[in-house]
């Protein structure tokens, strides 16, 4: 029996882990344990994904909650170590680039438990982003690295990672999208007829400086004059807007709503005339869906969304309304679906992981 322990903690982790859990569940001789660190804990940031994605309930919940980077990372280390010591899995699988990912990889590798990283090799080159540090550290201490696109392989090789640790499996987030697209359904509110713009923003660089956040919200209000804007607000951003006393313009065209479930968000994303975001995963989902996307950041760790897809970086807030107007005028861009973004990445992870563990046992 091979024992695989998965660690998830934040919204994007659930969407990435679901296809790997499903693929491994269909393999003989595999036992799985799911650990939820509790980095995200609101019903609409966590439970709703377990339900809509058909994921098993976590076997262990660490309940780490919110805190500074140090506090959150330390809480995952302290919470996970006894779980790993008691359960002794053959491998720990971590996903993406959040604090829970990096902390879980560190806890396992210090105990000499092999670590598999799903969504390895992505680099923005910007170490001011906490995620970039999490990516670099996680990849450096992982034993097997599953990349979503060839630039991931190239980045890892450039950093001196041995080629035989790297497996180009494709994009697990797109597996979930392909599986659930037929079930996507619009939320009852807001009512929308005709074209609209969908917005998500939660990067500290955009939210944590009150003056910058206000300028950004003014840019969104300007875009709302072109087409209604729907903005499901991440709790980090909600907290910052509340603190700044921000009120949406009275014309009701900038619609600030709570974070949506996966199926509701997917339905809005699929039909949007334009998406404005700073999310990692949404750059990829819009590329797959062929929906124009403006990413409010100076860099991206997902360059294929620009070269093959529909994504464009917008570096300054002042040019956002102009860029949005241009994107709304343009005909939909023909995009190429990046290689291995085909709904089978989770199956490739399962096969490669089990083959690798089998070889280790035999050695
Ligand atoms: C985290 C990840 C980020 C990822 C994002 C996905 C890190 C460093 N950041 O950012 O890479 O893109 O998740 O959404 O790991 N909060 C709630 N309820 C919740 C969760 C958070 O109210 O269920 C609030 C708290 O005020 C908290 C703040 O949001 O302090 C930030 O949460 P945190 O998990 O620290 O970072 P995110 O901004 O969510
Ligand atoms: N998402 C969602 N509801 C929302 C906003 C986003 O289901 O209200 C989904 C989105 O479709 C994608 C994932 O959450 O699958 C992206 O997560 P997020 O933007 O929080 O994190 P990032 O990808 O930036 O790390």
């Amino acid at each position: 029996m091979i024992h695989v322990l998965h660690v998830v903690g934040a919204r994007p982790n659930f969407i990435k882990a679901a296809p790997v859990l499903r693929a491994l569940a269909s393999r003989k001789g595999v036992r799985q344990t799911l650990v939820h660190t509790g980095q995200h804990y609101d019903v609409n940031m966590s439970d709703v994904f377990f339900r809509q994605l058909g994921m098993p309930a976590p076997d262990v919940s660490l309940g780490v909650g919110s805190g500074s980077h140090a506090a959150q990372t330390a809480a995952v280390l302290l919470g996970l170590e006894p779980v790993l010591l008691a359960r002794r899995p053959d491998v720990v699988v971590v996903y993406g680039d959040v604090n829970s990912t990096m902390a879980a990889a560190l806890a396992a590798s210090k105990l000499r438990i092999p670590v598999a990283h799903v969504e390895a090799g992505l680099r923005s080159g910007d170490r001011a982003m906490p995620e970039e540090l999490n990516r670099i550290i996680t990849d450096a201490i992982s034993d097997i690295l599953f990349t979503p696109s060839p630039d991931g392989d190239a980045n890892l090789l450039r950093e001196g990672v041995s080629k035989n640790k790297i497996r180009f499996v494709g994009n697990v987030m797109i597996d979930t999208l392909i599986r659930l697209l037929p079930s996507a359904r619009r939320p009852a509110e807001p009512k929308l007829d005709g074209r609209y713009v969908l917005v998500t923003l939660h990067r500290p660089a955009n939210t944590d400086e009150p003056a910058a956040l206000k300028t950004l919200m003014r840019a969104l209000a300007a875009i709302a004059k072109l087409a209604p804007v729907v903005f499901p607000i991440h709790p980090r951003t909600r907290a910052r807007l509340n603190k700044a006393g921000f009120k949406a313009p009275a014309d009701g065209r900038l619609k600030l709503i709570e974070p949506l479930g996966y199926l509701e968000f997917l339905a809005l994303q699929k039909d949007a005339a334009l998406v404005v975001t700073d999310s990692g995963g949404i750059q990829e989902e819009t590329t797959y869906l062929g929906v124009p996307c403006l990413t409010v950041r100076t860099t991206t760790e997902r360059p294929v969304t620009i070269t093959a897809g529909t994504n464009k970086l917008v570096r300054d807030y002042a040019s956002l309304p102009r860029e949005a107007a241009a994107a709304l005028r343009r005909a939909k861009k023909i995009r190429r679906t990046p290689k291995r973004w085909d709904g089978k990445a989770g199956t490739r992870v399962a096969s490669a992981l089990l083959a690798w563990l089998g070889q280790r046992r035999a050695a």
Side-chain angles (χ1 to χ4, degrees):
M1 195 51 105
I2 285 181
H3 181 191
V4 181
L5 186 145
H6 308 258
V7 181
V8 294
R11 177 165 70 184
N13 293 161
F14 312 136
I15 295 148
K16 292 165 195 173
V20 180
L21 283 156
R22 286 171 72 83
L24 284 169
S26 67
R27 305 293 171 110
K28 284 205 187 69
V30 176
R31 184 158 72 83
Q32 304 195 73
T33 299
L34 181 58
V35 177
H36 188 336
T37 66
Q39 177 172 346
H40 286 175
Y41 43 86
D42 290 348
V43 169
N44 57 11
M45 294 297 288
S46 176
D47 295 19
V48 67
F49 297 95
F50 280 77
R51 187 160 28 82
Q52 294 191 343
L53 274 52
M55 290 172 72
D59 300 287
V60 181
S61 293
L62 302 180
V64 303
S66 305
S68 69
H69 286 277
Q72 205 168 52
T73 306
V76 175
L77 282 168
L78 284 173
L80 192 57
E81 186 178 59
V83 174
L84 296 179
L85 284 170
R87 297 189 179 234
R88 280 280 158 197
D90 294 296
V91 64
V92 169
V93 187
V94 298
Y95 299 85
D97 57 13
V98 302
N99 284 347
S100 297
T101 310
M102 185 270 284
L106 188 54
S109 73
K110 286 269 173 126
L111 295 173
R112 307 306 308 131
I113 299 171
V115 178
H117 184 204
V118 176
E119 197 187 87
L122 298 186
R123 297 288 182 273
S124 69
D126 176 6
R127 291 196 182 193
M129 286 182 75
E131 293 81 4
E132 184 75 350
L133 297 175
N134 291 341
R135 292 180 200 117
I136 292 168
I137 295 166
T138 305
D139 285 342
I141 59 178
S142 289
D143 299 278
I144 182 160
L145 297 150
F146 296 110
T147 59
S149 44
D151 53 287
D153 297 46
N155 290 332
L156 293 169
L157 293 170
R158 198 174 334 103
E159 289 173 15
V161 174
S162 155
K163 195 169 173 230
N164 60 25
K165 280 187 171 180
I166 306 170
R167 305 286 186 280
F168 168 37
V169 291
N171 192 324
V172 285
M173 204 167 212
I174 300 301
D175 284 17
T176 298
L177 185 154
I178 291 173
R179 178 167 70 90
L180 292 179
L181 202 50
S183 314
R185 45 157 203 258
R186 282 207 191 174
E189 293 294 335
K191 301 249 179 309
L192 296 159
D193 327 297
R195 66 181 194 168
Y196 60 88
V197 178
L198 181 64
V199 173
T200 81
L201 297 164
H202 69 273
R203 295 278 159 224
N206 286 328
T207 61
D208 287 9
E209 162 51 48
L213 181 60
K214 270 194 186 146
T215 312
L216 185 48
M217 295 306 290
R218 268 199 299 277
L220 295 182
I223 295 173
K225 294 199 188 332
L226 308 172
V229 170
V230 187
F231 184 0
I233 304 186
H234 189 284
R236 168 189 288 280
T237 314
R238 173 70 78 185
R240 301 293 189 248
L241 287 173
N242 288 348
K243 208 164 160 200
F246 179 82
K247 294 267 176 304
D251 63 10
R253 289 176 66 86
L254 174 55
K255 300 168 194 300
L256 306 183
I257 61 174
E258 291 301 305
L260 292 168
Y262 184 77
L263 298 176
E264 291 78 10
F265 188 80
L266 183 55
L268 285 185
Q269 203 180 174
K270 167 175 80 70
D271 294 333
L274 172 68
V275 169
V276 176
T277 192
D278 56 13
S279 158
I282 292 167
Q283 295 174 61
E284 300 180 334
E285 291 171 343
T286 46
T287 284
Y288 185 85
L289 294 166
V291 174
C293 177
L294 298 177
T295 296
V296 193
R297 285 178 40 186
T298 52
T299 56
T300 181
E301 61 292 329
R302 290 161 162 96
V304 291
T305 63
I306 295 177
T307 51
T310 47
N311 190 20
K312 181 171 185 189
L313 297 181
V314 180
R315 293 179 171 79
D316 68 307
Y317 303 155
S319 62
L320 249 188
R322 185 165 23 89
E323 291 286 353
L328 287 169
R329 266 195 314 270
R330 266 196 298 272
K332 268 200 174 178
K333 215 168 109 180
I334 311 279
R335 96 290 183 201
R336 283 179 285 127
T337 302
K339 196 172 167 198
R340 298 190 191 160
W341 291 25
D342 59 358
K344 296 178 189 147
T347 303
R348 286 190 203 99
V349 170
S351 300
L353 185 66
L354 296 180
W356 178 75
L357 287 167
Q359 278 164 14
R360 282 176 64 96
R361 276 201 174 169

